[in-house]
């Protein structure tokens, strides 16, 4: 999840694109008012119906927006920009790149997690109790192949063939590493 600062920086970057310095000054004033209102609402409790969010989160976002609008205003004044251009804002561009990288990392992690969960659903874990005779045969095969008995059983299961009539068989094979 993005922090309040991330949300504010992204919002200001998008909303500020092309705004003149006077309009950015108006956004600073608006953010100051909204920050105060949100802070007061956070003290009372409840949710903001327009955001369906917790009041503390909304208050944090408005405080961060106020800071970010002031930063943009000061940058524009310092650099004598007539309009805000996000691509010329080095610090803002670095933050945007960082957010994009973090977002991509989260999405990649989520995709990998989905694949892992699907693989887990496709796996079959079983506890198998064999009588003494078949158990000895599996142990002998495992010892000869320098494997554990469970590894021989896994190789056996991988080679199972189900015929059209439903019969299950395993073609002859030699367990190996």
């Amino acid at each position: 999840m993005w922090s309040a600062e991330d949300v504010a920086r992204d919002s200001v970057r998008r909303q500020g694109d092309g705004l003149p310095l006077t309009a950015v000054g108006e956004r600073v004033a608006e953010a100051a008012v909204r920050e105060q209102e949100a802070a007061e609402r956070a003290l009372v409790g409840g949710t903001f119906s327009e955001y369906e969010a917790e009041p503390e989160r909304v208050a944090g976002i408005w405080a961060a927006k106020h800071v970010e609008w002031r930063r943009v205003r000061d940058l524009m004044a310092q650099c004598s920009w007539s309009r805000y251009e996000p691509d010329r804002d080095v610090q803002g561009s670095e933050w945007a790149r960082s957010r994009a990288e973090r977002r991509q990392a989260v999405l990649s992690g989520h995709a990998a997690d989905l694949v892992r969960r699907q693989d887990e659903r496709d796996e079959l874990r079983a506890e198998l109790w064999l009588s003494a005779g078949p158990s000895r045969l599996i142990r002998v095969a495992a010892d000869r192949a320098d494997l554990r008995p469970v590894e021989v059983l896994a190789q056996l299961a991988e080679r199972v063939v189900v015929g059209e009539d439903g019969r299950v068989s395993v073609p002859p094979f030699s367990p190996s590493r």
Side-chain angles (χ1 to χ4, degrees), residues 1 3 13-14 20 29-30 32 36 43-44 50 63 73 75 79 109 121 128 138 143 152 156 162 164:
M1 209 64 204
S3 68
R13 191 169 171 80
R14 284 182 292 106
E30 177 191 0
Q36 182 62 38
L43 290 175
V44 175
E50 69 182 283
R73 178 198 60 201
L75 174 68
C79 295
R121 275 188 229 119
L128 182 64
I138 295 293
D143 286 342
V152 172
L156 184 69
V162 179
E164 290 180 20

Side-chain angles (χ1 to χ4, degrees), residues 44-119:
V44 175
T47 61
F48 283 86
S49 60
E50 69 182 283
Y51 298 104
E52 292 297 323
E54 296 176 4
E56 294 83 13
R57 173 103 173 122
V58 174
I61 289 171
W62 275 109
K65 281 184 179 183
H66 188 200
V67 168
E68 185 62 9
W69 279 117
R70 286 193 319 245
R71 185 191 72 79
V72 167
R73 178 198 60 201
D74 296 346
L75 174 68
M76 289 177 68
Q78 179 184 6
C79 295
S80 302
W81 293 351
S82 60
R83 299 199 174 283
Y84 177 63
E85 297 176 42
D87 293 337
R88 291 175 62 190
D89 180 353
V90 176
Q91 183 65 60
S93 295
E94 176 62 27
W95 286 332
R97 186 192 58 71
S98 174
R99 278 191 308 277
E101 287 174 359
R102 284 184 283 140
R103 181 178 186 273
Q104 187 56 48
V106 168
L107 291 176
S108 296
H110 181 67
D113 192 43
L114 288 176
V115 168
R116 182 189 54 77
R117 280 195 232 147
Q118 183 60 46
D119 288 347

